[in-house]
Amino acid sequence: MTVPEAKTGTGNEKLVVEIIGAHNLMPKDGEGSSSPFVEVEFEDQRLRTQVKHKDLNPIWNEKLVFHVIDANELRYKTLEISVFNEKRSSNSRNFLGKVRVTGSSVGREEGESVVQMYTLEKRSLFSHVRGEISVKHYVTTTAESDGNISRVNGSGGLKKSKKVSSSVGTQKQQQHIALLNHQQQNQQRMLPFYPNQGEMKPLVITALPGPRPGPGPGTVLYPNGSSEFSLKETKPRLGGGTSTSSHKDKTSSTYDLVEQMQYLYVRVMKAKDLSLSGEVVSEVKLGNYKGVTKKVSSSNLEWNQVFAFSKETIQSSVVEIFLREVNRDEYTGRVWFDLSEIPTRVPPDSPLAPQWYKIERRNGGGELMVSVWFGTQADEAFAEAWHSKAGNVHIEELSSIKSKVYLSPKLWYLRVSVIEAQDVAVMNKGSGLMRFPELSAKLHVGNQILRTTVSTANPTRSFTNPYWNEDLMFVVAEPFEDCITAVVEDRLQNDVCVGRVQIPVSAVERRTGDKPVGSRWFTLDNNGNNNSQFGSRIHLRLSLDGGYHVLDEATMYTSDVRPTAKELWKPHVGLLEIGILGATGLMPMKVRDGKGSGTADSYCVAKNGGGELMVSVWFGTQADEAFSEAWHSKAGNVHIEELSSIKSKVYLSPKLWYLRVSVIEAQDVAVINKGSGLTRFPELSAKLHVGSQILQTTVSAANPTRSFTNPYWNEDLMFVVAEPFEDCITAVVEDRLQNDVCVGRVQIPVSAVERRTGDKPVGSRWFTLDNNGNNNSQFGSRIHLRLSLDGGYHVLDEATMYTSDVRPTAKELWKPHVGLLEIGILGATGLMPMKVRDGKGSGTADSYCVAKYGPKWVRTRTVVDSLCPKWNEQYTWEVNDPCTVVTIGVFDNARVDKSNNSNARDARIGKVRIRLSTLETERVYTHSYPLLVLHANGVKKTGELHLAVRLSCGNAVNMFQMYTLPLLPKMHYTQPLGVHMIERLRYQTLNAVAARLSRAEPPLGREVVEYMLDHDFHVWSMRRSKANFFRLVNVVSSLVWVARLVEVMRSWTKPVCSTVFVSVFLFMVLSPELILPSLFLYAAGVGVWRFRKRPRHPPHMDARISHAETVFPDELDEEFDTFPTSRGFEVVRMRYDRVRSIAGGFRRAQALLSWRDPRATFIFLVFCLVAAVGFYVVPVKLTVAVSGLYYLRPPRFRRKLPSRGLSFFRRLPSRADSLL
């Protein structure tokens, strides 16, 4: 059947759009599914595919053909591909997503086009869209009339009715059903690989540095108290240019012309504490792919090998690492990782620090140091990794399949002018008669041989003084290893050598122009013939001509025309970038393993051999993949065993869970009676151990309805546990009267505990107690427990006021991230000397930076012996909530010197906290932050930290919506934890994080973790209470100003102002409904007026509001005093918490109109304008009535979560993160 074309064109070109399939579409039919179809629009032509009923991962494999009026204008056209859900009940459709494809990306022929996967985009701000679509598009001139192409008549205009007649729909359905089988057979090979349905692609945001305000070049100082402690704006050269320039150095960009290839990287470092013998190997297994390390001795279990598995071929949800002896087939242990928990690394992030993991073994222990991450071909481990697609390549041949860059040697033209020779010793053999020889000169340079003509007879010259005057040209390469061998030969004596000389090429003069070079005489070696009266010699003119370009290609398609001499080179005029994407349809070159179909392998040739040293030398930047493993010249005094401690690394906090143990009761506890035969009433309590955490219930109260051997507690105990779960829950029932003697014990593995993501109750269980061999009890003792791993909480490792992550533990409750945080740690200046080395009088520092946001920690390399270190390292984090804080600390490395104690602690230099909500999106902040530390003798500035910060926003609506949501997950409000319990759990969290990071390589010390997580922030001090009090006074001062203004109006010192004030007062009394609209309108006007003076710099540690500059010595003595204090700890802490909470709340109210948080102030201004109009339109009585009824609504209509207004208010910056 011939279907009419969409539009008649004048040309023969046709645009073919092949719809392959879609993946992970949004369900829109109300039943958890969709019936999708695709509609394509091009130049007023609209075509559509068939409908796939109840399919969120549909496969169409349909071709839609469009006429192209002018192929030359195609690059300026746009192809719009939309996906809809067909609603059969109402004959309408729902929007599922769209893609806009520019004509410049359309292939010219079918063979040149490849299947491309596009992420579906929103049509408007309120569209709910997800998933990807696979499309192939190309231009062809061939008549597409076979059955493999579907042409569907679409509407001719852009704005038509969405309804389609039933007759046309039936005709289309019949066409597609008839062609379905043929399409599936012909296009089975074109089906793309689709990842798992639950997999979500990471959002990639690219933004160029925006312009920054400032009065001019140089450094801008923001006066805020003492100038020494102020924030300074700088203008560094970021990315090869100034930070204000939109042009970036293209030579520093990588992988922007090729497709990103996702890989799973596994680095197997070493093992320890294994009782093995002989040679040992480790195997990395992922589905059907298996990589094997090299063989190592059991006494030195170190591999340091990387394995890369292509993400598109992953067929398993876990990656396993096995250990075994070479001469045995069975495995001795394993370590495994869930792919959903593996982090993604994006360069220029530093490599992920490997960590120790316990090996699962039947008997014995052991640990394996491993790092696992997802990355791309831009990862520096890509070049050295074993690849899963090269599984049949022998391990010794892996180097022959890796990509390399080769450089041609620097070539020179060597010009040798053979002028003449003198006193050549001619040998006469077999005759006593004098003869006239035929002399010529032959020159050897490497394997190049050139010869002059025979010297002609000249009556004015002796026959022993031949004359040639000929130029011979050779090609030589640096470094010059060859020699020039000049030989004078006699043709009549079968080219016998009558003189020889050797001249090193490195001794030849170089010239860059046509300036003549002087000639020289060289003495010839006559091979022991001394018959000549004078020594033979030859006259040569030698020069290395650098003014030429040594042609290694034909001139018509040469790739370089520069001369050899570098001083003659001109600046380059541009940059050529080529992305080698791939090849299709290669001819089979071999048959492997007896297969009938041929295949082909690509390979490289590398040079090797004895007697030579293989070296590569190049200039690069810190983005080079060799940077992280290189030895640095500035670390010359670092011992070789300590080099790993100064390299930059990325660390990940362990995944933490709250473990809730409800100790309900026990039965038939075997009470031990010592020293008396009388029965007594024991004081029984339950003690629980989880790792190093120990909690105990209260003593069971006496109950006349229960036996004393059946104690009842019903108490909840909370612990912090980290994945992988290696600990056990040890429940012990003790008797207080017998000095806490154990009367029953049970152990439960944490890995066996049920996980929950909400507040749904978990069933309780009975566990049998071990009575320590006491069988006096008639029945077995047992304990009643309710165990759950609560994934609905966020395990707090930082204080809530400056936390960097608020997501719950359970990954299925995570929401998509709303932006991207990029931080460039440029350097520091004026650091305080932390040590004296080698008896020098001046101090020095070995400094490094640690930045923490969410579970990701980054550590820069250590710059040795410098008070002004330069790091220039860039890191990236995904932002899940804008109301979070990033912390950057500077430390002095105490492990650099081998002579130091291995337990030496890294010294604190200072830290900086930046609240993300105070940053404008897409703007680069380049500032120098003061590093302030409070000591017992006052506040000190220990240096300045130079940072470049940029916050990128993926979706502004999602970011604004976050301001109306609770800061913490839902379970923090439905089942809240007490303040004291949160602080205790936070201390346990700090222990878990410090223990895990201290097992990384290189380790991140506990002192670093404690300082970054601010473990002592809750400690009360007079200085902090004064700071919070004056923050409160600063807010109340505005009310005092209003009271003074009213007093001035009452005094009538300004009659005009007083008259206006009285008039406004009477107007408000007569029209009370205008009071609230006027107040909101005034607030909006104040906010708009202050927009011009909004803060243009991020907040920092402020010594003024911390009252660190005006603190008294006795207050510092009290703050640095040791525990215990003279007053009760709970009383002092409660007093401080009350002052802090009040001050923070009022400070947030002040931040509503200060533009400190630009997004929050904007939301508040919009609310004020809407409220002003609303209160003006709606009567006051109705407003009061509705507000009162809403406030007095029954509890069943209330929710436990805080209101949106309260959540918005709590997210406002309170400047608590600026306190020292």
Side-chain angles (χ1 to χ4, degrees):
M1 179 183 295
T2 304
V3 182
E5 305 291 339
K7 185 175 181 179
T8 303
T10 58
N12 295 325
E13 293 83 7
K14 294 181 176 62
L15 173 62
V16 180
V17 181
E18 187 172 354
I19 308 298
I20 305 298
H23 163 67
N24 196 25
L25 297 178
M26 178 72 72
K28 287 291 184 75
D29 61 357
E31 300 176 3
S33 185
S34 291
S35 300
F37 67 93
V38 179
E39 188 175 272
V40 184
E41 208 168 80
F42 177 74
E43 288 190 333
D44 294 343
Q45 307 170 61
R46 182 180 296 173
L47 308 180
R48 56 174 287 180
T49 65
Q50 66 175 355
V51 179
K52 295 292 183 179
H53 296 285
K54 301 291 183 180
D55 194 355
L56 295 179
N57 300 283
I59 301 295
W60 286 285
N61 283 327
E62 297 186 28
K63 292 183 180 179
L64 307 179
V65 182
F66 299 87
H67 280 289
V68 180
I69 299 176
D70 187 359
N72 296 325
E73 298 293 324
L74 179 61
R75 69 181 65 180
Y76 308 110
K77 304 296 182 181
T78 302
L79 182 69
E80 185 164 331
I81 304 172
S82 303
V83 186
F84 297 93
N85 167 54
E86 185 181 59
K87 298 174 65 175
R88 303 180 65 182
S89 58
S90 59
N91 200 17
S92 60
R93 59 187 184 180
N94 300 114
F95 179 77
L96 296 180
K98 70 173 183 178
V99 173
R100 297 177 68 90
V101 181
T102 59
S104 59
S105 61
V106 176
R108 303 304 301 174
E109 292 294 339
E110 182 177 4
E112 300 177 1
S113 179
V114 295
V115 177
Q116 301 185 21
M117 181 178 288
Y118 298 93
T119 301
L120 295 175
E121 301 174 354
K122 294 183 177 183
R123 180 170 55 184
S124 64
L125 294 176
F126 304 99
S127 300
H128 294 282
V129 169
R130 78 177 186 195
E132 300 86 25
I133 185 171
S134 297
V135 181
K136 182 178 180 181
H137 34 64
Y138 56 91
V139 176
T140 182
T141 57
T142 307
E144 303 279 358
S145 58
D146 56 7
N148 196 32
I149 296 180
S150 302
R151 296 185 180 90
V152 186
N153 189 17
S155 58
L158 288 174
K159 300 293 182 180
K160 295 289 183 181
S161 174
K162 295 183 179 178
K163 297 184 178 181
V164 183
S165 63
S166 60
S167 61
V168 176
T170 304
Q171 183 181 9
K172 296 176 184 177
Q173 188 71 15
Q174 291 175 354
Q175 291 176 10
H176 289 294
I177 293 175
L179 295 175
L180 181 58
N181 294 330
H182 186 63
Q183 291 174 356
Q184 291 179 348
Q185 294 175 0
N186 289 348
Q187 306 204 14
Q188 189 69 26
R189 62 182 177 88
M190 304 180 64
L191 295 179
F193 170 78
Y194 292 99
N196 296 330
Q197 181 174 346
E199 181 182 345
M200 300 299 291
K201 287 192 172 184
L203 178 64
V204 179
I205 304 172
T206 303
L208 293 176
R212 294 189 317 278
T219 301
V220 182
L221 180 66
Y222 295 102
N224 192 0
S226 174
S227 61
E228 182 184 3
F229 302 148
S230 298
L231 189 69
K232 301 171 185 175
E233 184 175 6
T234 59
K235 297 184 178 181
R237 296 176 60 86
L238 302 180
T242 60
S243 58
T244 58
S245 173
S246 62
H247 302 285
K248 62 185 293 189
D249 184 7
K250 294 296 289 181
T251 58
S252 63
S253 63
T254 55
Y255 298 101
D256 56 350
L257 288 183
V258 295
E259 299 174 350
Q260 276 195 353
M261 301 167 62
Q262 298 289 332
Y263 287 92
L264 170 66
Y265 291 97
V266 180
R267 182 184 291 273
V268 183
M269 293 290 293
K270 53 187 174 182
K272 66 178 181 180
D273 300 336
L274 293 177
S275 56
L276 299 176
S277 61
E279 294 183 327
V280 182
V281 297
S282 60
E283 297 182 359
V284 182
K285 187 176 181 182
L286 179 64
N288 296 328
Y289 295 99
K290 181 175 69 173
V292 183
T293 63
K294 60 186 178 183
K295 303 174 184 178
V296 297
S297 172
S298 58
S299 60
N300 183 22
L301 297 174
E302 186 168 350
W303 295 280
N304 194 16
Q305 286 185 245
V306 184
F307 299 85
F309 299 88
S310 178
K311 194 174 183 181
E312 64 182 12
T313 59
I314 289 178
Q315 303 171 350
S316 176
S317 60
V318 296
V319 57
E320 299 171 295
I321 306 170
F322 296 94
L323 292 175
R324 67 176 178 87
E325 298 177 7
V326 174
N327 54 1
R328 301 180 62 181
D329 294 334
E330 62 179 6
Y331 300 116
T332 60
R334 73 157 188 168
V335 174
W336 64 277
F337 299 90
D338 190 344
L339 296 188
S340 62
E341 304 294 338
I342 294 177
T344 299
R345 178 186 171 233
V346 180
D349 280 5
S350 294
L352 194 67
Q355 297 185 12
W356 289 103
Y357 295 91
K358 286 190 176 180
I359 301 174
E360 298 179 1
R361 302 182 65 189
R362 297 188 186 94
N363 50 0
E367 291 182 319
L368 182 68
M369 180 175 283
V370 183
S371 60
V372 186
W373 71 96
F374 281 108
T376 65
Q377 72 269 36
D379 204 294
E380 64 266 14
F382 180 80
E384 61 178 294
W386 172 92
H387 294 270
S388 57
K389 292 186 177 180
N392 57 347
V393 180
H394 194 273
I395 190 171
E396 296 180 358
E397 301 297 332
L398 285 178
S399 61
S400 65
I401 67 172
K402 295 179 179 179
S403 59
K404 291 293 180 183
V405 175
Y406 299 88
L407 289 178
S408 296
K410 189 174 182 181
L411 301 174
W412 291 75
Y413 279 146
L414 171 63
R415 183 190 298 270
V416 181
S417 299
V418 186
I419 304 173
E420 59 180 331
Q422 284 184 359
D423 300 329
V424 176
V426 179
M427 290 181 287
N428 297 317
K429 293 183 180 180
S431 174
L433 300 176
M434 185 66 66
R435 62 174 181 81
F436 294 95
E438 296 180 359
L439 299 175
S440 64
K442 181 166 64 175
L443 279 84
H444 302 250
V445 179
N447 60 353
Q448 307 172 61
I449 302 176
L450 294 179
R451 188 194 299 263
T452 65
T453 58
V454 176
S455 174
T456 58
N458 192 335
T460 62
R461 298 179 66 90
S462 170
F463 64 88
T464 60
N465 298 332
Y467 184 81
W468 297 285
N469 197 21
E470 295 183 18
D471 285 351
L472 304 180
M473 298 289 289
F474 300 88
V475 177
V476 291
E478 289 187 359
F480 302 128
E481 302 169 350
D482 297 321
C483 288
I484 307 167
T485 303
V487 180
V488 180
E489 296 179 340
D490 187 356
R491 290 283 183 90
L492 290 181
Q493 296 291 335
N494 295 325
D495 294 334
V496 67
C497 173
V498 295
R500 177 194 301 268
V501 66
Q502 277 195 339
I503 309 160
V505 177
S506 57
V508 177
E509 180 182 352
R510 307 185 188 191
R511 66 171 183 172
T512 58
D514 54 0
K515 183 180 179 180
V517 178
S519 58
R520 292 176 58 194
W521 287 95
F522 296 92
T523 303
L524 293 172
D525 179 11
N526 298 326
N527 296 325
N529 182 13
N530 298 320
N531 295 332
S532 178
Q533 186 177 1
F534 303 101
S536 303
R537 59 178 184 169
I538 189 170
H539 195 192
L540 302 177
R541 182 184 294 112
L542 307 173
S543 65
L544 286 167
D545 292 348
Y548 289 97
H549 167 65
V550 181
L551 290 165
D552 55 351
E553 301 166 298
T555 312
M556 63 185 70
Y557 40 77
T558 184
S559 60
D560 194 6
V561 293
R562 295 175 298 177
T564 302
K566 194 169 184 179
E567 52 266 30
L568 299 179
W569 290 4
K570 297 179 180 179
H572 65 267
V573 296
L575 199 70
L576 172 65
E577 298 173 280
I578 297 179
I580 305 176
L581 304 180
T584 57
L586 293 182
M587 179 182 295
M589 306 301 293
K590 62 183 74 171
V591 177
R592 179 175 287 120
D593 298 334
K595 298 179 181 178
S597 58
T599 184
D601 298 328
S602 58
Y603 64 92
C604 294
V605 178
K607 176 189 175 185
N608 56 17
E612 295 183 354
L613 180 64
M614 185 177 289
V615 181
S616 59
V617 184
W618 69 96
F619 282 104
T621 66
Q622 71 269 31
D624 202 292
E625 62 267 15
F627 182 80
S628 59
E629 61 185 74
W631 175 90
H632 294 270
S633 59
K634 294 186 178 180
N637 59 344
V638 180
H639 195 274
I640 189 170
E641 296 179 1
E642 301 296 334
L643 284 179
S644 62
S645 66
I646 67 171
K647 294 181 179 179
S648 58
K649 290 291 180 182
V650 173
Y651 303 84
L652 289 178
S653 296
K655 189 174 182 180
L656 301 170
W657 292 75
Y658 280 149
L659 171 63
R660 183 190 298 269
V661 181
S662 299
V663 186
I664 304 174
E665 59 179 330
Q667 282 186 355
D668 300 328
V669 176
V671 180
I672 304 174
N673 296 317
K674 295 183 179 180
S676 173
L678 300 176
T679 303
R680 59 175 181 78
F681 294 96
E683 296 181 359
L684 298 177
S685 64
K687 183 193 294 184
L688 279 85
H689 303 248
V690 179
S692 61
Q693 308 172 60
I694 301 176
L695 294 178
Q696 191 162 6
T697 65
T698 57
V699 176
S700 174
N703 192 335
T705 62
R706 300 178 66 92
S707 170
F708 66 85
T709 60
N710 299 332
Y712 184 81
W713 299 284
N714 196 22
E715 296 182 20
D716 284 353
L717 305 179
M718 298 288 290
F719 300 87
V720 176
V721 292
E723 290 188 0
F725 301 127
E726 302 169 351
D727 297 321
C728 289
I729 306 167
T730 303
V732 180
V733 180
E734 296 179 340
D735 189 356
R736 289 281 182 90
L737 291 180
Q738 296 291 335
N739 296 324
D740 294 334
V741 66
C742 172
V743 297
R745 177 192 301 268
V746 65
Q747 276 195 338
I748 308 158
V750 177
S751 57
V753 177
E754 180 181 352
R755 308 185 187 190
R756 66 170 182 169
T757 59
D759 53 1
K760 183 179 178 180
V762 177
S764 59
R765 291 175 57 193
W766 286 94
F767 297 91
T768 302
L769 292 173
D770 179 11
N771 297 327
N772 296 324
N774 180 18
N775 298 320
N776 295 333
S777 178
Q778 186 176 1
F779 304 100
S781 304
R782 58 178 184 169
I783 189 170
H784 195 193
L785 302 177
R786 182 183 296 111
L787 308 173
S788 64
L789 288 167
D790 292 346
Y793 290 101
H794 167 66
V795 180
L796 289 164
D797 56 350
E798 301 165 296
T800 313
M801 65 186 69
Y802 38 76
T803 183
S804 62
D805 192 9
V806 293
R807 294 175 299 177
T809 300
K811 196 170 184 178
E812 52 267 29
L813 300 179
W814 291 3
K815 297 179 181 179
H817 60 269
V818 297
L820 204 69
L821 172 65
E822 298 167 281
I823 295 181
I825 304 176
L826 305 180
T829 57
L831 294 183
M832 178 182 293
M834 306 301 293
K835 62 185 70 169
V836 178
R837 180 175 284 124
D838 298 334
K840 297 179 181 179
S842 60
T844 185
D846 305 322
S847 54
Y848 66 92
C849 272
V850 174
K852 197 262 181 189
Y853 184 79
K856 180 178 175 181
W857 302 62
V858 299
R859 169 179 174 163
T860 66
R861 70 187 188 279
T862 300
V863 179
V864 182
D865 279 339
S866 178
L867 298 179
C868 297
K870 296 292 183 183
W871 292 291
N872 284 314
E873 298 183 18
Q874 181 177 341
Y875 298 94
T876 305
W877 289 267
E878 292 179 349
V879 177
N880 298 280
D881 194 301
C883 301
T884 48
V885 177
V886 60
T887 305
I888 305 102
V890 185
F891 300 87
D892 178 72
N893 196 334
R895 298 173 176 86
V896 171
D897 296 328
K898 185 66 177 177
S899 58
N900 286 358
N901 187 3
S902 59
N903 296 325
R905 296 168 59 90
D906 293 348
R908 308 171 180 178
I909 297 180
K911 67 180 175 183
V912 172
R913 284 194 292 256
I914 302 175
R915 182 170 291 274
L916 303 191
S917 61
T918 62
L919 303 178
E920 299 178 11
T921 56
E922 311 302 338
R923 176 188 167 190
V924 179
Y925 291 85
T926 53
H927 292 82
S928 185
Y929 296 80
L931 298 173
L932 305 179
V933 177
L934 191 65
H935 294 280
N937 51 357
V939 64
K940 288 185 179 181
K941 179 180 177 182
T942 57
E944 293 185 354
L945 180 62
H946 195 186
L947 301 176
V949 184
R950 174 169 59 198
L951 176 64
S952 302
C953 176
N955 190 320
V957 175
N958 292 343
M959 185 169 286
F960 281 116
Q961 185 184 9
M962 295 298 297
Y963 281 85
T964 64
L965 301 178
L967 183 64
L968 296 174
K970 180 180 178 181
M971 281 194 68
H972 283 271
Y973 305 100
T974 57
Q975 294 186 6
L977 304 175
V979 176
H980 299 294
M981 181 180 291
I982 287 179
E983 291 305 320
R984 181 184 61 79
L985 292 174
R986 203 170 79 85
Y987 177 74
Q988 301 298 338
T989 303
L990 184 146
N991 290 335
V993 174
R996 184 62 57 86
L997 297 184
S998 64
R999 296 174 58 186
E1001 184 65 31
L1004 201 63
R1006 180 182 178 88
E1007 66 279 5
V1008 176
V1009 177
E1010 289 180 351
Y1011 186 56
M1012 295 293 291
L1013 296 183
D1014 237 358
H1015 76 292
D1016 57 350
F1017 87 104
H1018 59 275
V1019 178
W1020 186 87
S1021 72
M1022 184 64 68
R1023 179 192 59 84
R1024 292 186 180 183
S1025 60
K1026 283 177 58 179
N1028 285 304
F1029 173 77
F1030 282 106
R1031 290 166 63 203
L1032 176 61
V1033 170
N1034 189 24
V1035 177
V1036 177
S1037 62
S1038 59
L1039 300 178
V1040 175
W1041 177 83
V1042 172
R1044 291 179 178 176
L1045 178 63
V1046 174
E1047 188 64 26
V1048 171
M1049 295 299 102
R1050 288 182 64 237
S1051 64
W1052 288 87
T1053 56
K1054 298 179 179 180
V1056 177
C1057 296
S1058 299
T1059 303
V1060 173
F1061 180 80
V1062 172
S1063 302
V1064 172
F1065 172 74
L1066 294 177
F1067 180 75
M1068 292 298 177
V1069 171
L1070 296 177
S1071 302
E1073 66 276 4
L1074 296 181
I1075 296 178
L1076 289 178
S1078 300
L1079 291 178
F1080 282 112
L1081 195 61
Y1082 172 76
V1086 171
V1088 173
W1089 176 259
R1090 291 184 179 180
F1091 177 76
R1092 298 181 302 121
K1093 300 180 180 179
R1094 66 189 185 279
R1096 302 296 294 172
H1097 59 280
H1100 66 289
M1101 293 292 193
D1102 199 323
R1104 182 180 57 84
I1105 69 170
S1106 301
H1107 277 261
E1109 294 177 295
T1110 58
V1111 65
F1112 294 102
D1114 57 337
E1115 295 174 350
L1116 287 175
D1117 183 66
E1118 174 269 333
E1119 183 166 354
F1120 286 92
D1121 191 12
T1122 57
F1123 288 101
T1125 60
S1126 57
R1127 297 293 301 275
F1129 174 74
E1130 298 296 335
V1131 176
V1132 176
R1133 181 176 173 185
M1134 186 182 303
R1135 184 184 305 162
Y1136 170 66
D1137 286 341
R1138 185 183 301 117
V1139 176
R1140 181 181 63 191
S1141 60
I1142 296 174
F1146 281 94
R1147 195 75 183 189
R1148 291 188 181 98
Q1150 192 180 27
L1152 282 173
L1153 299 176
S1154 67
W1155 290 96
R1156 180 71 274 176
D1157 185 342
R1159 286 167 291 276
T1161 304
F1162 174 76
I1163 294 174
F1164 182 70
L1165 294 187
V1166 173
F1167 168 77
C1168 289
L1169 293 175
V1170 173
V1173 176
F1175 282 114
Y1176 177 76
V1177 174
V1178 180
V1180 178
K1181 295 180 180 180
L1182 181 60
T1183 302
V1184 174
V1186 171
S1187 301
L1189 292 175
Y1190 178 78
Y1191 180 75
L1192 299 173
R1193 68 191 185 280
R1196 61 177 302 180
F1197 296 110
R1198 304 175 188 174
R1199 64 173 188 169
K1200 295 182 179 180
L1201 298 180
S1203 64
R1204 295 185 180 273
L1206 184 59
S1207 299
F1208 172 79
F1209 181 76
R1210 287 177 176 175
R1211 287 175 173 270
L1212 294 173
S1214 64
R1215 299 299 299 275
D1217 48 299
S1218 297
L1219 292 176
L1220 290 172

